[in-house]
Amino acid sequence: MTTQRLAGRVRWIAWGAAATLACATPAFAQSGGNGQRTDVTPYLGVDQVVLAPLKGDGDVLTYTNVTAGVTAQFQSRRVEAAIDVQYSHLFGWSDDFADQDVISGIVSGRINVARGLAIDAGALGTRARTDGYSGASTFGSSATSQVYAGYVGPTYADKLGIFDVTAAYRLGYARVEDNLNRDFSGAERGGSFDDSWSHMLTGSVGVGPGVVLPVGLVASGGYSREDASQLDQRFEDKWGRLDAMLPVSPTVAVVGGIGYENIEIRQRSPLLDTNGVPVISNGRFVTDKSSPRALLYDFDGIMWDVGVLWRPSHRTSLEARVGRRYGSMTYQGSFTWQGRDSSFAVIVFDGIDSFGRMITSDVASLSRSNLNVMRNPFTGDLTGCAFSPTGGGQCFNDALSGIAEANFRYRGVAMQYAKRHGPWDLGIGAGYSQRKFITPSGDTIYIRGTKDENWYADASLNYALSERDSIGTGVYINYFNASGGRPDVLNGGAFTGYYRTISRRLTASAALGVDGAKGDDLDTVITAMGQLGLRYSF
């Protein structure tokens, strides 16, 4: 794999099968035999929102938010999909708040074409800050960018005789629009992610322990490539490896693997003006198409790891590995537990990644059922995490907190817990990551080895008071330790909303919240928020 960032998408070896590793009353529902179910809810909504500064400069801002969206859940023998998408237009009531268009939501689905063969697809739309306040709220800020990501591709997994065979291809696309990427002083930075296309092809052939030998064996390989428009950057990764597992008890096994990998990262030079200064257009470097692609990173060598696998039941799995890759030691691991109505996972990851590959992989890891997409009631933005009590939840905070054009060594830990029981729906996500950038020596934007660090936590709680009344609460905090002259930023907040079903199709809502941000050498900003709204479901 091009990355071992296994937050939300565990790569593990399942012996006997080798593997590479929304909330509204439906307007109409159809269900039939064989577990088939279709719930679709189109809706229109209008919200009146007020923002009042509790600390820091600023005036009281008022705007009207008009939304149109749809939530849907499809489940049948061949099709499984979860959809929560909406378009919002924010009408500002003063010159201090410009009108804004926002597209936000998640789509995750699978079509089972034939035995063992399926087509997976998914997409994400949301907003992120681009004014140096990485990870801060988008409330009242014009320095935001619309972010899109999506993927599509076939997967195959079946048994051929005594062999377990898997294969997969994924085409991914990521885009950040209108990212002027100014630093906190207002100067244009120039190095900014625009868009990229990525390809990932993987395959494996394996045989379980005890079938032929006491040791189970899996041979796997893959190829990954990403072409980013910023300076025509190109990432390529080719790898192959052999993994083995030796059971030492009914629940414990020793695991290990060895392989070969070749990674290259290249990019062209920026176009220079007559004074030798890089030309910047719309906050991004203009590429000198006549320049050759310079080699930024080249790893060509052996990778290996050893570890232990503990699987006391089909619900619980623990794997820990230590090894060497990218010319240094690596440490990876995962713990997953799946209950009847809850799930828990902790992942330790280490790999080479980029924003484009990272955000599309996050989308690809999402569950296709029982997905609870949390939204901020004041803007309609995604709050950072999507939870699923059956596993497959994901937090996007880490990817969106530090959007950059450079590839990076990516290490950290991520955790997520989700539970749905009766009237309760709970989700908690948290993590830490470090990005060590891979850039040219003497680069004027980043220095080779410069690193960002990010800590984040999100929690959401929904409770149905009755058939007509419910409440929803969200809490979030993010600390981003930035590089490249950008300020370190601490952002946090909380909100609570009350929802009342007036009729079968009409729902009223009221919400209160607070959001705050503090950057280095910048004044603390704390904002109180209030909202009243109506939603009509068709």
Side-chain angles (χ1 to χ4, degrees):
M1 295 178 68
T2 61
T3 171
Q4 297 296 325
R5 181 191 177 261
L6 306 181
R9 59 188 196 282
V10 185
R11 187 187 75 82
W12 56 293
I13 301 172
W15 301 98
T20 300
L21 302 167
C23 295
T25 302
F28 66 86
Q30 299 176 348
S31 61
N34 300 322
Q36 296 189 36
R37 180 183 178 188
T38 300
D39 296 332
V40 181
T41 307
Y43 61 86
L44 293 174
V46 58
D47 303 291
Q48 189 61 43
V49 181
V50 60
L51 309 177
L54 299 179
K55 187 173 183 179
D57 296 333
D59 299 323
V60 175
L61 300 177
T62 303
Y63 64 89
T64 301
N65 185 16
V66 178
T67 64
V70 61
T71 61
Q73 180 76 55
F74 302 94
Q75 191 166 13
S76 68
R77 186 172 62 89
R78 289 192 173 275
V79 179
E80 189 177 16
I83 299 171
D84 188 332
V85 178
Q86 76 173 30
Y87 163 79
S88 300
H89 185 83
L90 281 61
F91 296 91
W93 284 27
S94 69
D95 294 337
D96 295 329
F97 190 99
D99 289 2
Q100 299 178 27
D101 293 294
V102 181
I103 298 175
S104 64
I106 289 172
V107 177
S108 181
R110 164 174 287 183
I111 300 175
N112 296 308
V113 179
R115 176 181 170 179
L117 179 63
I119 296 177
D120 294 331
L124 166 77
T126 189
R127 292 194 300 176
R129 290 282 289 262
T130 58
D131 57 355
Y133 279 93
S134 300
S137 168
T138 60
F139 300 127
S141 173
S142 59
T144 61
S145 293
Q146 187 71 44
V147 180
Y148 299 102
Y151 80 100
V152 64
T155 61
Y156 177 80
D158 203 358
K159 198 170 186 66
L160 299 180
I162 64 171
F163 297 103
D164 302 298
V165 179
T166 70
Y169 167 73
R170 187 170 77 208
L171 173 65
Y173 179 73
R175 179 175 180 81
V176 178
E177 290 190 343
D178 302 323
N179 186 352
L180 297 180
N181 200 24
R182 299 178 185 273
D183 65 23
F184 61 94
S185 67
E188 289 190 353
R189 291 171 50 78
S192 170
F193 185 88
D194 186 2
D195 68 348
S196 74
W197 289 93
S198 59
H199 309 264
M200 184 162 65
L201 178 66
T202 59
S204 68
V205 177
V207 59
V211 177
V212 178
L213 299 171
V215 178
L217 297 172
V218 174
S220 58
Y223 171 77
S224 180
R225 170 170 164 170
E226 181 184 27
D227 290 281
S229 59
Q230 176 69 196
L231 299 182
D232 283 350
Q233 188 175 99
R234 177 172 294 171
F235 168 92
E236 284 190 291
D237 180 14
K238 300 178 282 290
W239 62 273
R241 60 181 289 154
L242 179 67
D243 284 274
M245 185 192 77
L246 176 64
V248 295
S249 80
T251 61
V252 178
V254 176
V255 295
I258 188 169
Y260 168 82
E261 184 169 32
N262 176 244
I263 300 177
E264 290 187 357
I265 303 174
R266 299 176 181 270
Q267 72 178 32
R268 301 188 193 278
S269 301
L271 185 67
L272 304 180
D273 61 18
T274 54
N275 296 319
V277 177
V279 177
I280 296 174
S281 175
N282 195 30
R284 300 179 176 95
F285 290 124
V286 175
T287 304
D288 183 356
K289 296 292 186 179
S290 64
S291 65
R293 280 195 176 94
L295 184 64
L296 305 185
Y297 181 84
D298 184 12
F299 172 77
D300 187 4
I302 300 296
M303 58 176 173
W304 61 267
D305 54 62
V306 295
V308 62
L309 174 65
W310 177 57
R311 191 167 294 157
S313 70
H314 69 282
R315 294 178 178 271
T316 305
S317 178
L318 171 67
E319 183 174 7
R321 295 191 180 219
V322 59
R324 189 170 181 84
R325 194 178 182 186
Y326 318 121
S328 64
M329 297 299 292
T330 63
Y331 306 90
Q332 300 176 64
S334 66
F335 175 79
T336 59
W337 174 80
Q338 180 62 63
R340 186 175 63 177
D341 55 5
S342 57
S343 65
F344 177 77
V346 178
I347 311 296
V348 178
F349 54 88
D350 185 356
I352 302 292
D353 221 325
S354 70
F355 171 74
R357 301 195 304 280
M358 181 178 173
I359 193 70
T360 53
S361 293
D362 283 351
V363 176
S365 71
L366 284 170
S367 171
R368 292 172 288 274
S369 63
N370 298 309
L371 198 61
N372 180 17
V373 180
M374 293 302 298
R375 292 183 178 276
N376 189 295
F378 309 101
T379 63
D381 286 337
L382 305 182
T383 58
C385 295
F387 299 104
S388 174
T390 56
Q394 184 61 273
C395 290
F396 301 96
N397 317 56
D398 207 29
L400 298 174
S401 291
I403 300 175
E405 84 285 4
N407 282 263
F408 43 83
R409 178 76 177 268
Y410 188 45
R411 308 179 198 184
V413 59
M415 179 278 291
Q416 191 169 107
Y417 172 74
K419 182 177 181 63
R420 183 175 297 165
H421 182 70
W424 296 93
D425 200 335
L426 171 67
I428 300 173
Y432 162 79
S433 70
Q434 179 193 96
R435 275 168 275 213
K436 193 171 184 179
F437 291 99
I438 301 169
T439 55
S441 299
D443 191 289
T444 57
I445 303 303
Y446 293 116
I447 300 173
R448 179 181 294 272
T450 296
K451 64 183 180 182
D452 290 344
E453 293 181 296
N454 191 46
W455 291 260
Y456 67 88
D458 283 76
S460 67
L461 176 65
N462 293 325
Y463 179 68
L465 299 168
S466 66
E467 292 183 356
R468 300 171 64 90
D469 304 90
S470 65
I471 58 173
T473 299
V475 179
Y476 53 91
I477 187 168
N478 197 98
Y479 177 69
F480 191 78
N481 187 355
S483 63
R486 295 168 295 167
D488 299 342
V489 176
L490 174 65
N491 168 242
F495 58 82
T496 297
Y498 169 74
Y499 306 89
R500 171 75 174 179
T501 301
I502 299 174
S503 66
R504 179 173 175 268
R505 300 183 183 275
L506 188 64
T507 302
S509 64
L512 293 173
V514 62
D515 179 81
K518 175 66 174 76
D520 287 348
D521 301 323
L522 300 175
D523 293 335
T524 300
V525 177
I526 302 177
T527 304
M529 302 160 289
Q531 174 261 4
L532 293 173
L534 288 173
R535 173 175 294 187
Y536 185 83
S537 301
F538 295 91

